[in-house]
Amino acid sequence: MMASVQPTTEPAGLASIPRHIAIIMDGNGRWAAAHHLPRALGHRRGADAVRRTVEACIAEGIAVLTLYAFSSENWKRPADEVEDLMALLRLYLKREINDLHQNGVRVRFMGALKDLSADLQMMIKKAEARTINNKKLTLVIALNYGSQAEIVMACKALAQKAVAGEITPNEINCQMLANHLQLADLPQPDLVIRTSGEKRLSNFLLWQSAYSELLFLDILWPDFNAESLKTAIRDYQGRERRFGGR
């Protein structure tokens, strides 16, 4: 039985520290172009920003950080760029997993992981297994992820249960569907950040972000740092969260 999504318990009023921050890491290519460097180097500088952001989240007491690393639509990019991104992920897991583990970070993945190469799937399983008992920060990496596909899979699972007679169609509600999304045991994101100045969610956590605060920053992802995170948190704390109540 899948765990239920944890509903927000934060009362209406000014927000406190967000429990869950989700980030659309955008702008690696534009950063590279602005510095007259190859796109691959922009992605590598983006990986450095991931390290800084994880450290900053630990320092700020954030419980969950979800990063949109590779969307299901990113396969449309040039093959050499896709391969570079996958190689960078392998390098990140090899290089960072020890530090993540020692710093109490639990690593989890979401997305269509079965479509990835066998060696990468094995690295993902090992990283998740090694860090499973860590509690200081949960780092979720959305990889080959698309929110619409995730919702469709949840609907298919409910349809199969209905066909099997385990539930009736009339029993299906929002909470039941939410329970069949990936990582349904985690709190929904309080704050969704997108860098690079773009103002859209790009198929990222569409269901989970129904009542998230959204923040669009002009900064390119490789330039994101601890001060950027603090600024985002201060912005979030200045907002009044109503959740449709008034």
Side-chain angles (χ1 to χ4, degrees):
M1 188 68 162
M2 296 182 72
S4 298
V5 170
Q6 299 299 313
T8 182
T9 57
E10 187 177 270
L14 291 180
S16 58
I17 291 288
R19 295 168 301 166
H20 182 175
I21 295 177
I23 304 179
I24 302 171
M25 305 179 293
D26 195 14
N28 291 345
R30 275 167 280 179
W31 183 92
H35 290 80
H36 307 289
L37 296 170
R39 286 180 65 87
L41 192 53
H43 292 310
R44 287 176 172 79
R45 292 294 180 266
D48 294 337
V50 169
R51 185 187 310 111
R52 293 194 300 268
T53 303
V54 168
E55 292 171 352
C57 281
I58 293 173
E60 295 294 332
I62 306 301
V64 183
L65 171 65
T66 297
L67 300 177
Y68 203 8
F70 190 88
S71 77
S72 51
E73 290 78 22
N74 285 158
W75 295 108
K76 300 174 185 177
R77 294 186 177 189
D80 57 344
E81 183 177 356
V82 170
E83 181 53 38
D84 187 74
L85 285 167
M86 293 300 162
L88 184 59
L89 178 61
R90 292 184 181 93
L91 178 63
Y92 181 84
L93 288 173
K94 289 178 182 178
R95 187 181 66 184
E96 302 293 338
I97 194 63
N98 286 337
D99 285 345
L100 291 170
H101 182 51
Q102 290 173 6
N103 284 295
V105 178
R106 181 180 182 183
V107 181
R108 303 179 70 175
F109 287 79
M110 67 188 307
L113 305 179
K114 61 181 178 57
D115 295 334
L116 303 175
S117 64
D119 70 308
L120 192 49
Q121 289 185 54
M122 182 59 65
M123 293 181 72
I124 287 170
K125 288 179 181 178
K126 287 182 177 179
E128 290 185 322
R130 184 176 182 188
T131 62
I132 192 170
N133 294 318
N134 295 339
K135 301 184 184 305
K136 188 167 290 185
L137 171 71
T138 296
L139 172 62
V140 179
I141 299 175
L143 185 61
N144 193 24
Y145 173 80
S147 186
Q148 292 176 334
E150 180 189 22
I151 294 169
V152 168
M153 290 300 295
C155 291
K156 286 181 178 179
L158 291 173
Q160 289 169 353
K161 288 186 175 182
V163 169
E166 299 175 25
I167 59 174
T168 66
N170 286 338
E171 290 180 279
I172 298 173
N173 56 30
C174 289
Q175 187 61 55
M176 190 178 291
L177 192 149
N179 289 347
H180 287 75
L181 297 176
Q182 297 185 55
L183 307 187
D185 57 306
L186 295 177
Q188 296 179 8
D190 300 297
L191 174 62
V192 176
I193 301 169
R194 181 172 188 149
T195 57
S196 86
E198 301 290 347
K199 296 178 174 63
R200 57 181 180 273
L201 291 178
S202 296
N203 203 15
F204 180 55
L205 300 179
L206 301 179
W207 181 282
Q208 297 91 330
S209 299
Y211 283 98
S212 302
E213 297 297 320
L214 307 180
L215 180 61
F216 301 103
L217 302 175
D218 290 331
I219 187 174
L220 300 175
W221 175 246
D223 292 325
F224 195 89
N225 56 28
E227 189 55 41
S228 307
L229 183 72
K230 290 180 180 179
T231 299
I233 292 174
R234 285 195 296 268
D235 183 287
Y236 170 84
Q237 290 177 308
R239 300 188 186 190
E240 186 176 3
R241 307 194 73 193
R242 297 189 180 92
F243 304 102
R246 57 185 174 87

